[in-house]
């Protein structure tokens, strides 16, 4: 016969504590059923779930652990665990798990309280909480801080869209991004990322920039906005806008390409993903002329966009080949995944407009980035408070992981 005991150890952290205590358990051949440890600001919490004999021979174990803990300046507590409770706990390990990620410029108690309340209301239990971003100095303030906390929750989610909707609504009220993902093998093995270009990788709509130079800025901008809101078919709106640009001199394009405003966090995100071996593609309803400029800048693997036609050095108002609309983006994403020999669950898609929804909906991680309301409502994930490098935290990366990749 045996009994199960939970050993809780708290105190000031220092090297050698775990070794000292587990050495005693090893000397008495005590099985360890579970172990967990966390440290916050040098304050240690260590838990050991062990199985002890009931014949009284465990007394020396308790004594030695008490003496060793006292010598190390630690508090130690022993709690017997009912056998039936233990078995019930063991059977819970097969329950579904989800990862909830909070992203923002600052995460405080109110954010955590509200999110954990939503989780509790749905009968889910928080197993682990981890801070992904680095420690924040209270003296040397960063001009553009990032904050990310990850919660691992356990339990069956009856309606994932309901949970997503509740967290999205919270995020919009509290100015923080909240994402929920299934904690499965695909989350840890993404291999391909497909970006929209305009208002995603760059902070502008290139066609609007061209229109301003052509003197038709207001007309083109109005059509663009209607299309991005989903009020106009993309192909129809695209042809209407292109017709307004007829006659624009080719020399204008080079200047616009050189001053494209790169979205905050794009460099950090792409550099990190490339070092991890990700394939990176641009799937854009914009133009190859500008997408290929970004391809050279970032070392992007594939570009699919619309190819402008010129005659005598001027835009004809037409494009050659098939127009890249929402359906074409989704088809291209499927083709790229098949070429790489990966599943759609291993693909990340990022975009802001209604024509991005088809690819966002089929990607394992589809992210509406600073998107139009219709896109934010329909996408499973959304980033609206930070830059593109916020995606790294949705992948579970920590600042120290990213720093290590940059240094190597």
């Amino acid at each position: 016969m045996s009994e199960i005991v939970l050993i809780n150890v708290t105190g000031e952290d220092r090297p050698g504590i775990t070794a000292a205590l587990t050495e005693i358990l090893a000397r008495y051949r005590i099985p360890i059923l579970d172990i967990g440890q966390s440290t916050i600001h040098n304050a240690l919490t260590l838990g050991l779930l062990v199985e002890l004999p009931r014949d009284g021979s465990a007394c020396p174990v308790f004594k030695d652990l008490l003496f060793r803990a006292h010598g190390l300046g630690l508090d130690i507590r022993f709690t017997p665990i009912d056998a039936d409770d233990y078995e019930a706990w063991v059977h819970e390990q097969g329950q579904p798990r989800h990862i909830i990620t909070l992203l923002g410029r600052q995460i405080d108690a109110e954010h955590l309280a509200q999110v954990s309340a939503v989780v509790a209301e749905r009968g889910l239990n928080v197993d682990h909480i981890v801070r992904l971003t680095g420690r924040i100095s209270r003296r040397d303030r960063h001009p553009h801080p990032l904050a990310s906390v990850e919660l691992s929750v356990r339990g069956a989610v009856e309606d994932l869209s309901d949970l997503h909707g509740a967290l999205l609504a919270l995020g919009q009220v509290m100015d923080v991004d909240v994402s929920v993902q299934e904690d499965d093998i695909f989350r840890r093995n993404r291999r391909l990322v497909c970006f929209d270009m305009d208002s995603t990788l760059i902070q502008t709509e290139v066609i609007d920039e061209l229109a301003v130079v052509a003197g038709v800025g207001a007309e083109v901008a109005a059509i663009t906005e209607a299309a991005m809101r989903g009020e106009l078919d993309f192909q129809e709106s695209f042809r209407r806008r292109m017709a307004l640009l007829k006659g624009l001199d080719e020399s204008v394009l080079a200047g616009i390409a050189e001053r494209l405003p790169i979205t905050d966090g794009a460099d950090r995100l792409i550099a990190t993903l490339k070092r991890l071996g990700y394939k990176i593609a641009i799937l854009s309803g914009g133009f190859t002329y500008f997408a290929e400029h970004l391809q050279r800048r970032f070392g992007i693997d594939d570009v699919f966009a619309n190819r402008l036609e010129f005659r005598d050095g001027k835009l004809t108002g037409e494009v050659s080949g098939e127009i890249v609309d929402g359906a074409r983006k989704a088809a291209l994403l499927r083709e790229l995944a098949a070429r790489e020999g990966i599943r759609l669950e291993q693909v990340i898609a990022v975009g802001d407009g209604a024509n991005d929804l088809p690819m966002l909906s089929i990607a394992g991680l589809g992210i509406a980035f600073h998107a139009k309301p219709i896109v934010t409502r329909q996408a499973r994930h959304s980033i609206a408070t930070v830059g593109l490098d916020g995606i790294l935290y949705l992948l579970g990366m920590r600042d120290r992981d990213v720093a290590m990749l940059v240094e190597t």
Side-chain angles (χ1 to χ4, degrees):
M1 293 292 292
S2 62
E3 65 176 334
I4 299 170
V5 175
L6 175 61
I7 304 171
N8 288 111
V9 180
T10 58
E12 184 180 349
D13 188 34
R14 65 175 68 87
I17 289 175
T18 304
L21 299 177
T22 54
E23 183 276 326
I24 294 171
L25 297 174
R27 189 191 321 149
Y28 288 98
R29 300 184 182 277
I30 303 299
I32 297 177
L33 304 176
D34 197 14
I35 184 171
Q37 178 176 314
S38 66
T39 305
I40 298 179
H41 193 61
N42 297 326
L44 169 74
T45 300
L46 170 65
L48 296 151
L49 195 63
V50 301
E51 191 172 17
L52 299 171
R54 287 185 180 272
D55 58 8
S57 61
C59 290
V61 180
F62 291 128
K63 182 189 73 174
D64 288 356
L65 287 171
L66 281 166
F67 272 110
R68 184 62 61 88
H70 179 74
L72 293 169
L74 303 170
D75 294 320
I76 190 166
R77 185 177 65 187
F78 304 98
T79 305
I81 303 298
D82 179 80
D84 291 337
D85 289 344
Y86 172 77
E87 291 302 321
W89 176 74
V90 168
H91 289 300
E92 287 180 355
Q93 65 185 343
Q95 287 189 331
R97 293 179 182 272
H98 289 78
I99 298 295
I100 296 175
T101 308
L102 282 72
L103 268 172
R105 295 301 176 184
Q106 179 175 321
I107 294 172
D108 57 30
E110 180 68 13
H111 297 133
L112 293 169
Q114 295 284 354
V115 169
S116 56
V118 168
V119 168
E121 287 167 3
R122 286 156 179 78
L124 306 175
N125 188 59
V126 178
D127 276 344
H128 305 288
I129 301 177
V130 178
R131 175 178 46 81
L132 299 178
T133 44
R135 295 169 182 163
I136 302 169
S137 171
R138 308 311 294 171
R139 294 179 180 174
D140 303 322
R141 303 284 182 157
H142 193 284
H144 303 290
L146 281 174
S148 181
V149 173
E150 179 182 280
L151 287 73
S152 174
V153 302
R154 170 171 36 90
V157 177
E158 294 183 4
D159 187 342
L160 188 57
S161 61
D162 168 69
L163 177 59
H164 164 76
L167 294 174
L168 176 63
L170 268 184
Q172 291 175 336
V173 171
M174 299 189 299
D175 195 27
V176 67
D177 297 315
V178 189
S179 171
V180 58
Q181 303 176 64
E182 293 183 57
D183 189 13
D184 56 25
I185 191 171
F186 301 115
R187 177 179 177 265
R188 298 182 291 276
N189 288 279
R190 314 283 190 202
R191 305 307 307 151
L192 167 68
V193 57
C194 297
F195 291 103
D196 174 43
M197 179 174 69
D198 297 67
S199 297
T200 299
L201 272 181
I202 56 175
Q203 294 178 305
T204 189
E205 294 285 329
V206 170
I207 197 167
D208 292 345
E209 298 278 336
L210 295 171
V212 169
V213 178
V216 291
E219 297 97 313
V220 167
I223 299 172
T224 299
E225 282 299 310
M228 296 301 278
R229 292 193 301 265
E231 297 170 4
L232 283 177
D233 170 77
F234 179 81
Q235 293 214 14
E236 177 192 353
S237 69
F238 185 77
R239 289 191 176 95
R240 286 170 57 182
R241 287 177 290 174
M242 284 303 304
L244 290 170
L245 298 179
K246 183 177 179 179
L248 188 63
D249 197 277
E250 185 176 358
S251 62
V252 171
L253 278 68
I256 292 175
E258 288 300 323
R259 60 176 186 271
L260 289 176
I262 304 300
T263 299
D264 180 40
D267 288 285
R268 182 175 183 240
L269 171 64
I270 293 176
T272 301
L273 295 183
K274 284 178 63 66
R275 287 177 183 270
L276 289 171
Y278 276 68
K279 293 293 183 180
I280 301 173
I282 291 177
L283 308 183
S284 174
F287 307 115
T288 54
Y289 187 98
F290 303 96
E292 288 170 357
H293 178 83
L294 295 175
Q295 182 178 32
R296 293 187 291 271
R297 185 189 192 284
F298 288 113
I300 288 170
D301 298 286
D302 295 286
V303 162
F304 297 91
N306 299 300
R307 189 166 297 278
L308 293 165
E309 283 189 350
F310 295 90
R311 185 178 297 118
D312 299 326
K314 297 182 183 298
L315 288 178
T316 65
E318 303 286 342
V319 294
S320 59
E322 184 177 356
I323 292 176
V324 179
D325 59 4
R328 181 62 178 150
K329 286 186 180 187
L332 287 166
L333 185 149
R334 290 183 184 276
E335 290 173 16
L336 289 171
R339 187 189 72 185
E340 296 300 322
I342 62 175
R343 295 171 54 127
L344 291 176
E345 291 92 340
Q346 294 175 271
V347 181
I348 304 167
V350 191
D352 72 297
N355 66 323
D356 294 311
L357 280 170
M359 74 171 181
L360 298 185
S361 67
I362 63 172
L365 182 61
I367 303 167
F369 181 75
H370 290 259
K372 309 300 181 288
I374 186 176
V375 183
T376 300
R377 287 194 299 270
Q378 295 186 40
R380 294 194 300 275
H381 309 279
S382 172
I383 292 179
T385 64
V386 300
L388 277 172
D389 51 345
I391 293 171
L392 296 172
Y393 305 108
L394 297 187
L395 299 177
M397 295 188 200
R398 305 186 190 202
D399 279 353
R400 65 171 179 262
D401 302 324
V402 177
M404 178 188 70
L405 287 169
V406 171
E407 292 170 0
T408 57

